Amino acid sequence: MSAGADPSATNPVLVPPHTEVGAPIVRITALRKSFGDNEVLKGIDLDVMRGEVVAVIGKSGSGKSTLLRCINGLEAFQEGSLTVDGKPLLHESAQAMRELRQRVGMIFQSFNLFPHLSVGRNVMLAPRLVKKRRPDENEARARQLLDRVGLAEKFDAMPDQLSGGQQQRVAIARALAMDPAVLLCDEITSALDPELVGEVLRVVESLAEDGMTLLMVTHEMGFARKVADRVIFMHQGRVHESGPPDSIFGAPRTPELKQFLSSLHE
Amino acid sequence: MRVALDFWPVLAQWPLLLEGAAWTLGLTAVATLLGSSVGVACAWARVSGPWALRVPAAAYVELIRNTPFIVQLFFVFFGLPAAGIRLTPLTASILAMTINLGAYATEIVRAGIQATPRGQIEAAESLALTRLQVFVHIVLPPALKRVWPALTSQIIIVMLGSAVCGQISMEELSHAANLIQSRNFRAFEAYILATLVYLGLAILVRRVLHWAGQRFVFGS
Amino acid sequence: MVEFTLWDILRNLLLAARWTVVLSLIAFAGGGAVGLVLLVLRLTGNRVADAAIGAYVQLFQGTPLLMQLFLLYFGIALFGVETSPWMAACVALILYASAYLTEIWRGCVAAVPRGQWEASASLALGFGQQLAHVVLPQALRIAVPPTVGFLVQVVKGTALASVIGFVELTKAGGMIANVTYEPLLVYGCVALIYFALCFPISLYAGSLERKLHVGRR
């Protein structure tokens, strides 16, 4: 790598997005989404700034996962607009879809590693196919990212030889290999045994510290409170309340949020 | 180039098609009853019968499943007379279809039997039921229920396979189509219509067996 | 009257069995190719393609193979093309095999978890890349045993080509039975040759199936 004036020289693992620091990197305007007659997102407006860490909380069925899945086009929405790092989401155009998805990384609750590929190949597949990255460069990058999530020695392991926490960390490395501008995390610790949650959250936390833009749906309220810059409480398909973690958790204003928070302690 | 199709000469012969369809259904009904019985008996033999029965049952199943139905039919109709067994087209058709369905039904029913939870059998045995009673009353009904869809599919396969019986002058549906085309030389039209009737019969039989399964086989 | 030894009968049957094997391989390979194209068309999510291919599968699975052979035999002639039993049998068996194989494989693709599609989509892979690198390799693993098993169906299906006059094992059996007056022996031999062809394939498919289940645990 010869890029002398690499702006991310302090942290060579993450590649900076196009958007300026402090400018909105995800812009969601008046987004509506229905499954048949059931409207699950009833007009969402949300800007996420570059480098911001946003936690989305709410009951199941509040639309929080659907919102996340709309951002990289896994769900089609009926109304509204959405751009990521300057790329608009256009469902009809496969090309635009692929452009956008290169800016958005996604981590799933169930890891979704490709079981027929080794850990290294899981990480290298998309950069090879989509970004046409050179093999040597691709492998060096994959090793670097696996090292970053603490799994350098697992390069040749198969996914089913790993614990859930390790698999999820590979999934994070796999998403990072595409140099996303934003990382979406959809309840990424919900499928893990309690003792494995910590190792995954520590990786996410270190990404946040390095300036990664994160949008995460989570049930880990302690983690949200500690890491998030902003917390969004979703209720019945709308952003019901949002603000810095201290005010959301410390001084909830709406009865719905109060009830939601108290239900967590039962 | 023009393709001129004329279905009227064939449609005018509809009583022949109807009669053929009735024979096809009749053959299928008889073969279903007999073949399923053979299947249940051989499945029992393969799972809990004595060795002297297990081996022949297994050989029967593999031999039939790995040879074409048309060869089985010709063996029965053309071959057996050489051994002094002379059969009419009707009995030869029924015999071949029964033997064929029986082999597949054996494997299907066996899979259903082997899925019986061990505890069910132990519970029944501890109530002093005989082995036969356990099989008939405890093991078989839920086993049939489990495999009813697979059995239904196999019955339809056998029905469609019975088109071959026309080759030994059994007057079923395909034979009717052949008869019609020999009268009016509308071969393509005759076979199209006969094929559509088969498709209708396949859908009908699936519906009827699905309904019968829920109504009679498992109670409700 | 000419005397026929058992060896004469067997030799002639085995010579004819070559055509059974050739026809089976053509039907299986051709059916596989057509079936794969249909599978991919179906997976693109185009409603019209999906419905049309669904009807195609229904048609071939819901009607006798014998009728399909007749229809092709007389149907190709309608278009003014000189048809032979050989050509009609090849086309009919290829279509028949394609309908079954595409349906078998669709089931295998459906068994690949949705998360695999989603994960590969979220990594910006295109549809073809998702299929080639993520979904089909996983589907292939489960598809092999039933696909090998279906080969037995194809071999048995070729016997029906005898009815439209294609001289393969069954047809040859009929002809030899007529000249030897030994139908029991001849059809017995015919059955045994089919068994010798099919049983090893069945065994192999069964062992693949068992291996797959062990591997999954």
Side-chain angles (χ1 to χ4, degrees):
Chain A
M1 291 195 209
S2 58
D6 187 354
S8 61
T10 48
N11 174 41
V13 181
L14 299 182
V15 173
H18 302 271
T19 311
E20 302 285 315
V21 177
I25 199 164
V26 176
R27 306 207 71 160
I28 302 172
T29 322
L31 186 136
R32 287 174 176 272
K33 158 83 188 165
S34 314
F35 292 106
D37 295 338
N38 181 21
E39 193 172 38
V40 283
L41 296 177
K42 301 171 182 167
I44 305 281
D45 293 289
L46 177 66
D47 282 358
V48 179
M49 305 300 150
R50 178 178 159 189
E52 195 180 17
V53 177
V54 176
V56 184
I57 62 171
K59 284 191 293 197
S60 62
S62 62
K64 54 193 196 311
S65 275
T66 306
L67 174 64
L68 216 60
R69 292 162 60 84
C70 281
I71 296 175
N72 73 346
L74 286 181
E75 303 287 356
F77 51 86
Q78 284 83 20
E79 283 177 48
S81 70
L82 197 160
T83 62
V84 179
D85 204 18
K87 295 282 172 189
L89 193 150
L90 303 167
H91 289 290
E92 310 79 46
S93 160
Q95 185 55 37
M97 213 64 214
R98 293 182 67 173
E99 298 264 339
L100 177 127
R101 280 171 172 163
Q102 292 186 53
R103 309 293 165 98
V104 185
M106 180 137 183
I107 323 286
F108 298 86
Q109 181 178 346
S110 49
F111 329 139
N112 294 346
L113 292 187
F114 306 133
H116 61 299
L117 300 177
S118 68
V119 165
R121 289 181 175 279
N122 260 279
V123 179
M124 294 188 296
L125 181 73
R128 170 165 72 87
L129 295 175
V130 180
K131 294 204 180 293
K132 315 289 181 206
R133 199 174 276 161
R134 288 208 325 275
D136 51 340
E137 193 190 331
N138 197 11
E139 182 176 336
R141 187 77 209 287
R143 289 191 185 278
Q144 185 187 26
L145 287 167
L146 284 170
D147 187 46
R148 168 78 198 253
V149 299
L151 293 169
E153 77 287 3
K154 298 293 186 189
F155 189 87
D156 292 312
M158 294 305 282
D160 60 7
Q161 299 168 319
L162 304 183
S163 73
Q166 289 172 325
Q167 289 193 42
Q168 194 60 296
R169 286 188 281 152
V170 173
I172 293 172
R174 183 175 72 175
L176 290 176
M178 291 296 282
D179 305 327
V182 188
L183 211 50
L184 310 175
C185 304
D186 190 4
E187 300 190 24
I188 61 170
T189 56
S190 299
L192 294 174
D193 293 334
E195 71 271 21
L196 302 176
V197 170
E199 63 187 66
V200 172
L201 292 185
R202 270 193 295 281
V203 170
V204 176
E205 192 178 348
S206 81
L207 289 173
E209 282 164 7
D210 290 342
M212 189 68 186
T213 311
L214 288 166
L215 192 54
M216 51 192 190
V217 169
T218 185
H219 291 144
E220 301 283 339
M221 296 305 154
F223 181 70
R225 187 163 195 167
K226 179 173 156 205
V227 176
D229 301 312
R230 183 153 53 117
V231 177
I232 288 174
F233 170 64
M234 286 194 61
H235 184 70
Q236 295 183 344
R238 291 195 172 85
V239 175
H240 202 72
E241 197 170 335
S242 76
D246 284 341
S247 63
I248 289 287
F249 294 113
R253 287 170 310 203
T254 58
E256 289 80 8
L257 178 56
K258 280 179 192 154
Q259 197 203 353
F260 172 72
L261 291 174
S262 65
S263 72
L264 297 174
H265 299 300
E266 278 158 13
Chain B
M1 179 205 64
R2 295 183 69 110
V3 177
L5 291 182
D6 187 0
F7 285 96
W8 287 115
V10 178
L11 284 171
Q13 307 276 351
W14 63 268
L16 275 177
L17 282 176
L18 194 67
E19 203 182 321
W23 274 112
T24 292
L25 277 180
L27 283 175
T28 307
V30 176
T32 296
L33 287 176
L34 296 178
S36 304
S37 311
V38 171
V40 168
C42 290
W44 173 81
R46 285 204 73 177
V47 175
S48 34
W51 277 107
L53 284 180
R54 273 185 209 206
V55 174
Y60 156 65
V61 167
E62 293 303 338
L63 194 65
I64 296 302
R65 294 205 313 164
N66 288 289
T67 51
F69 174 66
I70 187 173
V71 173
Q72 295 158 14
L73 181 72
F74 285 1
F75 184 87
V76 166
F77 187 72
F78 297 119
L80 287 187
I85 304 168
R86 206 162 285 280
L87 299 169
T88 63
L90 177 62
T91 43
S93 298
I94 289 175
L95 181 59
M97 287 170 75
T98 300
I99 291 172
N100 188 271
L101 179 58
Y104 287 94
T106 300
E107 284 308 275
I108 292 170
V109 174
R110 186 172 75 123
I113 290 173
Q114 284 175 334
T116 307
R118 186 79 213 132
Q120 298 254 308
I121 299 166
E122 286 169 357
E125 280 172 346
S126 70
L127 292 169
L129 269 64
T130 67
R131 284 185 62 175
L132 188 65
Q133 285 171 326
V134 172
F135 182 76
V136 172
H137 296 282
I138 308 300
V139 175
L140 194 56
L144 282 180
K145 179 175 181 173
R146 271 191 284 273
V147 300
W148 192 254
L151 205 55
T152 299
S153 296
Q154 194 59 47
I155 288 166
I156 289 168
I157 289 173
V158 167
M159 180 179 80
L160 298 177
S162 76
V164 172
C165 298
Q167 298 302 309
I168 60 164
S169 332
M170 176 66 218
E171 293 174 350
E172 43 67 74
L173 183 51
S174 79
H175 193 265
N178 191 27
L179 200 62
I180 292 171
Q181 68 105 5
S182 72
R183 286 183 185 176
N184 57 22
F185 305 107
R186 289 280 168 196
F188 188 68
E189 292 89 334
Y191 286 119
I192 282 253
L193 285 178
T195 303
L196 290 178
V197 175
Y198 272 113
L199 187 61
L201 290 182
I203 294 168
L204 175 78
V205 169
R206 188 173 292 281
R207 292 256 167 91
V208 167
L209 285 176
H210 179 74
W211 170 81
Q214 295 192 323
R215 181 82 173 70
F216 300 113
V217 183
F218 323 123
S220 57
Chain C
M1 187 175 142
V2 191
E3 279 294 314
F4 292 92
T5 65
L6 179 61
W7 171 239
D8 287 329
I9 292 172
L10 262 181
R11 190 168 52 94
N12 283 298
L13 286 178
L14 285 171
L15 286 174
R18 290 180 309 177
W19 291 107
T20 292
V21 172
V22 169
L23 190 56
S24 302
L25 291 179
I26 289 175
F28 193 63
V34 177
L36 190 63
V37 171
L38 295 179
L39 174 73
V40 172
L41 281 178
R42 218 170 175 183
L43 291 175
T44 55
N46 182 321
R47 294 247 173 100
V48 181
D50 187 58
I53 296 166
Y56 175 87
V57 169
Q58 263 277 298
L59 191 68
F60 280 92
Q61 295 195 341
T63 60
L65 175 56
L66 185 66
M67 292 290 117
Q68 296 161 23
L69 281 159
F70 279 138
L71 282 178
L72 261 300
Y73 187 60
F74 293 110
I76 295 176
L78 272 189
F79 288 91
V81 180
E82 190 72 33
T83 150
S84 64
W86 162 246
M87 183 167 123
C90 280
V91 175
L93 283 163
I94 285 173
L95 296 182
Y96 166 82
S98 73
Y100 275 84
L101 286 174
T102 203
E103 189 68 2
I104 291 172
W105 294 341
R106 192 174 73 111
C108 297
V109 168
V112 174
R114 236 167 69 93
Q116 295 291 312
W117 286 97
E118 293 187 345
S120 50
S122 76
L123 288 166
L125 267 60
F127 174 73
Q129 293 172 328
Q130 287 181 291
L131 269 187
H133 296 277
V134 176
V135 176
L136 288 186
Q138 294 181 55
L140 187 67
R141 227 173 59 88
I142 35 181
V144 170
T147 303
V148 172
F150 180 70
L151 180 55
V152 173
Q153 293 299 115
V154 173
V155 174
K156 292 190 293 180
T158 61
L160 293 179
S162 64
V163 176
I164 57 169
F166 180 69
V167 184
E168 39 63 76
L169 180 52
T170 304
K171 181 77 182 171
M175 290 153 66
I176 294 170
N178 279 342
V179 293
T180 59
Y181 301 106
E182 295 259 32
L184 191 66
L185 177 66
V186 173
Y187 281 115
C189 289
V190 168
L192 284 180
I193 296 174
Y194 274 112
F195 185 78
L197 283 174
C198 294
F199 188 55
I201 307 173
S202 295
L203 283 181
Y204 182 55
S207 83
L208 285 173
E209 180 83 49
R210 277 187 296 278
K211 251 187 241 162
L212 186 64
H213 282 293
V214 172
R216 270 181 171 181
R217 253 168 229 153

